[in-house]
Amino acid sequence: MAADHTPKIVGTVWGLLVLNTLGSAGAKTIVPLPRSLIQMVTMGALVAAFALALALNLRLRIRPSAFLLLLTLLLVPSVISSADLESGFGALFRCARLALFVGTLWLLSRWWDGGLTFVRHHIRMYFAVLGSVAAGLVISPGAALPELYGGRLVGALWPLTPPQIGQYAAVIIGLTVLLVLGRRTDRGSAAVVVVPSLVLLALTHTRTATLGLLIGLALAIGSLVLTSAAARRFFAWAVLCATVAAVAFSSALRAWFLRGQSQENFSNLTGRAKVWDALLAAPRTTSEHLFGAGLGDKSFGGLPIDNSWLAVYQEQGMTGVALVAAVIVVLGGVALLRPPSLSRACAIFLISYCAIASYTEAGLGDASPYLLHLAVAASLLAAPADRPLSAPEVPRRRVPRRSRRTEVT
């Protein structure tokens, strides 16, 4: 099915999935929102997304997808590890949420055709989220830049953490830049998205998002260099500007990157390394090693794990780690085998960003924005659907030239 035949309601479904993955934990908001209310809204958004997707696809037409098949298989270790209730009933609830999330993606796969439809939905929805962050910054700068987070930007209207905001900003900046290079949007519209998003990204002081944006864009634009003059020009100017900035603003960039941390604190990744060492040293049964301890809140000993691979190992075991690794390898392999194109470049950016962010952020093993990013990449790498064959033309009967003369009465 062609991209321009995608129903507009699909954008609403995608927006509901984005709302579901915003989470319920974060900074204090201007108007206090009970966590139970936020969870009700996010879970209700997922149920509504599934219901709308099912209504759009009542005949259950789906596209073959190795990505979605691997996510479906990921449910197996999730359910096995959560069934013993070691992590409480919340683990089974998270399994149901993941199943509903993956089911919605299966229903939407009918419209995955290698086009840019879902890229545009992705940009619009996350730009709307960033709009709420900007509104909170204008209404209450003190609440949006609290001392609790070291003056980093947080969500003052909806509880969003600096890494979340940085992730959303980096992803839509990268995708919008690629759309400009591919001449799929004008520079004015792109500036409306890119400029404020860059400001918000800078205010979050998020190193992972910044590195993911720069490296992901470098790889994506590099895939277009041989076929796009615009990509070659942009790449040359970007290298020149980066070199000048590194020389002229080295001290300022270093201060921004360190965020006032000591060298020791920076070297152990703001305490993450201590949590990782403790997690790996913890004793485990054979079942826990293979299938994990059940879906939880991505923490260990009350502290966030902040690493997708270790979080998956903790909750879904080595089986989950193997499946998540297969997701990245399969998507990356398919992207490398595709001929150069804008869709391929966008997919490479999203896959690269998620792979880089997985080192200091959790989310690849559960319903999260990272799985939405990878779902967009999968939609970009899907082969175009075969168009329905038109009715065969009835062969016209040849009429002798002598009989073609019009009779005059």
Side-chain angles (χ1 to χ4, degrees):
M1 183 171 293
D4 55 353
H5 292 164
T6 303
K8 293 183 179 180
I9 199 69
V10 169
T12 303
V13 176
W14 200 257
L16 291 170
L17 290 177
V18 169
L19 176 58
N20 173 255
T21 58
L22 292 182
S24 59
K28 294 182 179 179
T29 55
I30 299 173
V31 178
L33 299 174
R35 187 173 182 181
S36 58
L37 174 63
I38 297 175
Q39 291 175 333
M40 186 184 304
V41 171
T42 54
M43 193 59 196
L46 179 58
V47 173
F50 180 81
L52 284 176
L54 185 60
L56 287 172
N57 195 1
L58 282 175
R59 294 185 179 182
L60 302 181
R61 295 177 179 174
I62 59 176
R63 296 290 304 274
S65 172
F67 166 72
L68 291 178
L69 176 61
L70 290 169
L71 287 188
T72 304
L73 292 177
L74 189 61
L75 284 167
V76 176
S78 303
V79 173
I80 291 175
S81 59
S82 301
D84 60 4
L85 301 180
E86 181 179 344
S87 300
F89 285 99
L92 290 178
F93 177 82
R94 291 182 179 92
C95 287
R97 175 178 177 246
L98 180 58
L100 209 57
F101 183 87
V102 175
T104 306
L105 293 180
W106 271 116
L107 292 171
L108 293 180
S109 68
R110 174 184 177 182
W111 294 281
W112 292 4
D113 58 2
L116 298 171
T117 301
F118 285 89
V119 170
R120 299 186 184 279
H121 289 324
H122 214 54
I123 293 174
R124 292 191 192 105
M125 299 310 166
Y126 280 116
F127 187 67
V129 175
L130 293 181
S132 72
V133 175
L137 178 62
V138 172
I139 295 172
S140 179
L145 301 168
E147 289 297 327
L148 179 63
Y149 284 87
R152 301 170 65 191
L153 181 64
V154 301
L157 297 180
W158 186 276
L160 298 174
T161 61
Q164 285 180 280
I165 300 170
Q167 174 197 162
Y168 307 154
V171 167
I172 68 172
I173 290 170
L175 292 176
T176 304
V177 168
L178 292 173
L179 289 182
V180 172
L181 293 179
R183 297 180 180 179
R184 298 302 179 89
T185 188
D186 60 273
R187 296 182 180 181
S189 300
V192 172
V193 174
V194 171
V195 174
S197 299
L198 276 173
V199 173
L200 296 181
L201 175 59
L203 290 176
T204 62
H205 284 241
T206 307
R207 295 175 293 224
T208 299
T210 304
L211 288 175
L213 170 62
L214 296 177
I215 298 174
L217 266 183
L219 295 174
I221 296 174
S223 71
L224 293 172
V225 164
L226 296 179
T227 58
S228 171
R232 289 192 293 271
R233 289 193 299 268
F234 183 89
F235 191 80
W237 277 106
V239 171
L240 177 62
C241 293
T243 303
V244 173
V247 174
F249 306 103
S250 58
S251 58
L253 290 174
R254 185 174 183 275
W256 182 90
F257 202 76
L258 288 176
R259 296 197 311 234
Q261 297 175 339
S262 63
Q263 193 66 33
E264 180 183 357
N265 197 21
F266 176 75
S267 62
N268 63 26
L269 299 173
T270 322
R272 289 186 177 96
K274 296 180 180 179
V275 179
W276 299 347
D277 292 339
L279 186 150
L280 292 173
R284 298 175 185 276
T285 64
T286 302
S287 176
E288 289 174 342
H289 178 73
L290 291 177
F291 303 113
L295 292 184
D297 58 358
K298 313 299 177 287
S299 66
F300 180 79
L303 297 174
I305 297 174
D306 286 340
N307 181 290
S308 284
W309 305 101
L310 292 179
V312 171
Y313 175 62
Q314 168 68 15
E315 298 182 353
Q316 291 140 314
M318 289 303 299
T319 306
V321 172
L323 289 171
V324 171
V327 167
I328 301 296
V329 171
V330 167
L331 288 177
V334 172
L336 292 177
L337 294 175
R338 288 283 188 269
S341 66
L342 178 59
S343 294
R344 175 184 183 240
C346 290
I348 288 175
F349 169 75
L350 291 169
I351 297 166
S352 303
Y353 183 90
C354 291
I356 294 167
S358 67
Y359 185 64
T360 57
E361 296 291 336
L364 287 182
D366 204 349
S368 70
Y370 291 105
L371 289 191
L372 286 182
H373 303 333
L374 294 178
V376 175
S379 75
L380 291 166
L381 297 174
D386 295 331
R387 295 186 178 182
L389 297 175
S390 57
E393 295 185 1
V394 179
R396 298 180 61 182
R397 182 181 177 184
R398 297 191 63 181
V399 180
R401 184 169 296 184
R402 296 175 184 177
S403 304
R404 295 180 188 177
R405 291 178 297 177
T406 306
E407 296 184 358
V408 180
T409 57

